[in-house]
Amino acid sequence: MKRRNLLLFPLLGLLALTSLFSCGVDRWSEYHPLTGRDLWMDSLMREVYLWYEDIPASKTLNYFQAPDVFLKSILSSKDKGYSTVDTLDNTPVLSYGFDYTLYKVATSDTTYNALITYVVSDSPAASAGLQRGEWIMLVDGDSITKNTEKWLTKGSSRELRIGKYVIVPSGGDEEEEEDKDIGVIQSDRNLILPAARAVTDSPIHTLKLFQLATGQKIAYLAYTSFTAGSTDSGNQEYNNELRQFSQNCKSAGVDNFVLDLRYNAGGEMECVQLLADILVPADKLESPLAYLQYNDKQSARNRDLILDSQLLQGGANLNLSTVYILTGSQTAGAAEMLINCLKPYMNVVLIGQTTKGENVATETFINPQYPYVLRPVVCEVFNSQDEADYSGGFKPDYAVSESSYLQYYLPLGNPEETLLNVALNIISGNIQPPTPETTRMTATKSVKAKRAFRTGLIIK
């Protein structure tokens, strides 16, 4: 669905304007700068919002509130935070380019280690050699505390003490099985992290081809956002990378595909169509993929999306019968749409954790009078079998928690990395996921996950 820049929308909530007049005196010029933005949001939502019938009567609303507070006051109970309003700010966000999870050091009430969970390609973190699965123990020689945690997000160049997770003998009673081994964070090296800067996270994070000893040829794609290109002007840079990779897979004779969507929070429907075109059985091309259903005021916009082979444009259909998808709690929006829409046509094996559960689409509206962007839910997305009931998320076929296997918390695409390794074992015939560690970590426990850089898109 293309973005729509709404210039000005007719105000329909005329009842709300009665509060702007007092004793017959026109006070529009006084109040409009304070209420115009909320009135615009109210008017637009009553036209395009999927659940517009649930918006309270205008006379009960307060149009003098901050945009996010006002939006919350008019949302349907069915809206689980899908609809948003944000400032229209083009100021680049400075970042080191990594996400992390804090683990509390058990021997201290105030000290933490930070597990690196994601590293943006071509970022300060990547250039410094920081990798997923490594641990930050010290920043500029100081421990990580609530006061110093901000040093992990942005700022000047930093010196980091990097640790690695290792298993060591406990030295305790050998008869006590649970004390046999201990997981600890050991100091490994120091590195210099360059100063934070504006970074762009390519949605195509990692591409790999594997061949197992059993002969199967496997493609791996870590795909973090359904984004066609690096700009909003029709750029197809990232879609063209997908097309080229599909050709490489075809040439290599790939017969199994592992799609890593654990960090994918959504994006553009055209990208969903393209990736589905690449993956589905060849005889399913040109079949219905999805149906978009708007509210009754916008029913003229209801439409079908198809598995359109013309979108391949130099890419290749891989004619697969099964796809293995790695999921997490951040897997949402367009990523879930792809899962839902592939299920009628092929075997979809989910590995990881339950997805977020976003089965609707939002659209972007901008009013140039106000520096805000409104993204309301505008339609529901059904697959070819009229199914859209995944608001509770998709549960994995193989439930695996990465935090249970910290020694295998490795860079994306590493065949020993927990979720990818499970997928490879399933493909090779060993369908049992690995046994959870019997080791214990006496030094740390998970207390907080921090997304320091990435912000995902939902379907729009």
Side-chain angles (χ1 to χ4, degrees), residues 23 53 80 96 131 141 145 148 172 192 212 234-235 243 270 301 337 344 381 393 400 403 425 455:
C23 300
E53 301 98 329
K80 300 178 182 179
Y96 292 124
Q131 292 189 321
T145 66
T148 62
I192 301 300
L212 301 181
N235 186 301
R243 293 180 176 110
E270 179 185 340
R301 301 181 64 191
M337 174 187 172
V381 183
V400 183
S403 62
N425 276 315
T455 53

Side-chain angles (χ1 to χ4, degrees), residues 231-414:
T231 70
D232 293 329
S233 59
N235 186 301
Q236 289 278 306
E237 174 186 353
Y238 303 136
N239 276 355
N240 287 338
E241 283 190 58
L242 286 181
R243 293 180 176 110
Q244 182 59 57
F245 184 58
S246 69
Q247 282 287 4
N248 295 344
C249 293
K250 191 81 170 181
S251 299
V254 162
D255 46 19
N256 290 279
F257 202 104
V258 179
L259 176 61
D260 193 341
L261 299 180
R262 76 186 92 174
Y263 296 111
N264 195 310
E268 303 165 17
M269 288 189 182
E270 179 185 340
C271 301
V272 177
Q273 287 180 274
L274 173 59
L275 192 49
D277 288 342
I278 291 170
L279 297 173
V280 296
D283 62 358
K284 303 305 180 185
L285 291 173
E286 318 312 330
S287 300
L289 175 68
Y291 179 71
L292 310 183
Q293 182 168 306
Y294 293 74
N295 69 38
D296 57 4
K297 294 182 180 182
Q298 304 288 319
S299 58
R301 301 181 64 191
N302 293 349
R303 68 183 189 276
D304 290 303
L305 299 178
I306 66 169
L307 290 161
D308 188 356
S309 60
Q310 293 186 21
L311 289 177
L312 289 172
Q313 297 177 10
N317 168 261
L318 300 182
N319 192 29
L320 301 172
S321 60
T322 301
V323 62
Y324 302 87
I325 300 182
L326 311 185
T327 63
S329 60
Q330 299 171 30
T331 306
E336 292 174 297
M337 174 187 172
L338 178 70
I339 293 170
N340 189 48
C341 292
L342 289 180
K343 280 180 174 289
Y345 298 120
M346 59 194 307
N347 185 27
V348 179
V349 179
L350 303 182
I351 303 165
Q353 296 178 296
T354 301
T355 65
K356 190 172 182 180
E358 291 183 352
N359 59 346
V360 293
T362 65
E363 189 171 354
T364 299
F365 297 88
I366 301 172
N367 187 321
Q369 284 188 277
Y370 312 107
Y372 283 89
V373 179
L374 179 63
R375 298 183 179 91
V377 170
V378 296
C379 68
E380 195 168 6
V381 183
F382 297 85
N383 67 14
S384 61
Q385 296 179 344
D386 295 327
E387 297 167 334
D389 186 20
Y390 53 92
S391 60
F394 287 105
K395 293 183 178 180
D397 300 289
Y398 295 86
V400 183
S401 173
E402 295 179 89
S403 62
S404 297
Y405 311 94
L406 289 176
Q407 67 186 115
Y408 299 110
Y409 206 105
L410 299 170
L412 300 180
N414 186 318

